[in-house]
Amino acid sequence: MNILLFTTGGTIGSAFDGNSINVSHKGCSVVEKYLSENTHACVQFDIKSPLNILSESITADDFNTLAKALFEADLSDYDGVILTVGSDNLAYLGTFVGLLFGGCGVPICLVASDKVLSDPGANGTVNFACAVELIRQKKSGVYVPYRNSDGVMYVHSATDIRQADLSDDFVSFHGAYAVFENGTLREKRPYIAQHIPPVFDRDMPPQIDDIVLLIHPYPLQDYSGIQPVITRAALHTLYHSATLDSERFIPWMKAHPDFPVFLASFRSGRKLYRTAIDAIEAGAIPLYDIAPECAYVKLLLACAQGVMSIKEFMKKW
């Protein structure tokens, strides 16, 4: 089995130097640990390192560099692809790869670790081993295998995963796609195959930029401090009941009519609160059944393409 491995840094590619955790420059320890623990594994890794960063510091250029590396790779030469990434931006990077490459026809897995691999309690190596097994089982799609603190190995659809909570656990917007137990993948719900058809030139990866404003709700929210400078679109996330303070939000939105404002996320079939209806009637655009992280990355891509309007792009897939 031949696997293309992209390393990008993150905790899984970092080490503790006695004072702090930082990215390592000493090879790919996750492969070394995997092969030492799976001595009979018949697998070859073709390792490339387009990035070596702590994921909290990722830039638009870093997203573009990774997209370029994936676009230029001949994926037909491999049984699958693994990307080792940081956990802080796992949901965003997973969505980015899932939206662009979900239809490529080979399994792609993003693998992170909750601790540096030298820590005996780290889950990075078992997450990596699960990714190898998903590729061995030829599960086409883009996945995030991750063992939570409950000891269960969950497999998430990459475009559905949410950011981790303070326990370092990950969940998905619609629930995990599957769990992996004793070498067997047990599906819990349909795979969320949300990928974008090739509206981008295959030889020209999209060049995203930091021109999307992301706003989260909180009590006593002061919108007067939000003064966009270069913004093509905004995404306003919502409370769990799909609400926001519309009395404070609507005047701010009307004061900035030059870009569309999207709301995420609503769930189909649920009744809406008056505050949400007021915001929509005032011109905000509702997004349904999509993880907020996915909505944000999709909006970045919507602004990067020139085939259709941003609103049409966001509503189309």
Side-chain angles (χ1 to χ4, degrees):
M1 188 167 62
N2 197 18
I3 294 176
L4 176 59
L5 172 61
F6 288 102
T7 66
T8 67
T11 300
I12 195 169
S14 293
F16 181 62
D17 64 7
N19 293 307
S20 64
I21 296 171
N22 206 349
V23 289
S24 173
H25 301 278
K26 297 182 179 180
C28 191
S29 60
V30 69
V31 169
E32 297 169 3
K33 288 182 69 67
Y34 169 77
L35 292 176
S36 69
E37 295 173 8
N38 298 270
T39 55
H40 299 294
C42 297
V43 57
Q44 297 288 329
F45 296 100
D46 183 3
I47 303 174
K48 302 181 185 298
S49 300
L51 301 172
N52 192 30
I53 61 170
L54 292 174
S55 62
E56 61 269 26
S57 303
I58 197 167
T59 66
D61 285 343
D62 294 329
F63 275 96
N64 295 330
T65 295
L66 186 58
K68 185 174 185 292
L70 279 163
F71 266 86
E72 291 179 346
D74 187 352
L75 301 186
S76 64
D77 290 341
Y78 302 94
D79 296 287
V81 181
I82 295 176
L83 297 91
T84 55
V85 300
S87 56
D88 281 349
N89 67 31
L90 177 57
Y92 296 102
L93 200 55
T95 289
F96 183 71
V97 174
L99 289 174
L100 288 177
F101 297 95
C104 72
V106 300
I108 299 178
C109 293
L110 289 93
V111 176
S113 182
D114 59 346
K115 303 176 183 69
V116 295
L117 296 182
S118 59
D119 188 313
N123 64 9
T125 305
V126 293
N127 295 342
F128 188 88
C130 183
V132 173
E133 288 307 307
L134 286 169
I135 292 172
R136 193 186 308 277
Q137 295 183 22
K138 304 185 184 301
K139 298 295 294 184
S140 179
V142 184
Y143 304 95
V144 177
Y146 192 90
R147 188 186 69 190
N148 276 353
S149 58
D150 60 5
V152 177
M153 177 64 72
Y154 296 95
V155 179
H156 304 273
S157 302
T159 55
D160 199 47
I161 194 170
R162 302 295 315 275
Q163 283 291 89
D165 58 25
L166 293 179
S167 69
D168 294 330
D169 287 347
F170 285 88
V171 298
S172 286
F173 186 71
H174 293 92
Y177 157 65
V179 295
F180 203 78
E181 299 174 321
N182 301 318
T184 300
L185 188 71
R186 182 164 58 85
E187 296 182 359
K188 300 179 65 179
R189 65 191 73 255
Y191 169 68
I192 307 295
Q194 183 170 345
H195 65 271
I196 296 171
V199 297
F200 301 104
D201 187 329
R202 184 61 179 84
D203 299 319
M204 183 71 69
Q207 297 293 300
I208 67 168
D209 206 345
D210 51 353
I211 53 178
V212 172
L213 178 63
L214 179 59
I215 305 171
H216 296 296
Y218 58 88
L220 309 180
Q221 191 154 11
D222 180 11
Y223 288 91
S224 66
I226 304 174
Q227 298 296 329
V229 179
I230 303 175
T231 299
R232 290 196 59 201
L235 175 70
H236 198 308
T237 64
L238 304 172
Y239 288 119
H240 75 96
S241 51
T243 59
L244 74 169
D245 185 342
S246 58
E247 289 188 10
R248 295 172 183 258
F249 163 72
I250 291 172
W252 174 86
M253 181 179 64
K254 289 185 174 180
H256 300 283
D258 296 334
F259 53 84
V261 179
F262 296 85
L263 304 178
S265 178
F266 297 93
R267 292 186 186 266
S268 297
R270 291 191 180 179
K271 293 180 174 62
L272 300 185
Y273 284 80
R274 184 69 252 173
T275 50
I277 294 172
D278 288 344
I280 294 168
E281 290 179 346
I285 305 164
L287 298 175
Y288 284 83
D289 303 321
I290 184 172
E293 293 85 351
C294 183
Y296 173 71
V297 174
K298 189 175 180 181
L299 195 48
L300 289 173
L301 293 171
C303 292
Q305 57 84 41
V307 178
M308 62 192 71
S309 72
I310 294 172
K311 181 177 180 180
E312 183 182 1
F313 187 96
M314 292 300 291
K315 292 286 191 177
K316 196 172 183 64
W317 300 288

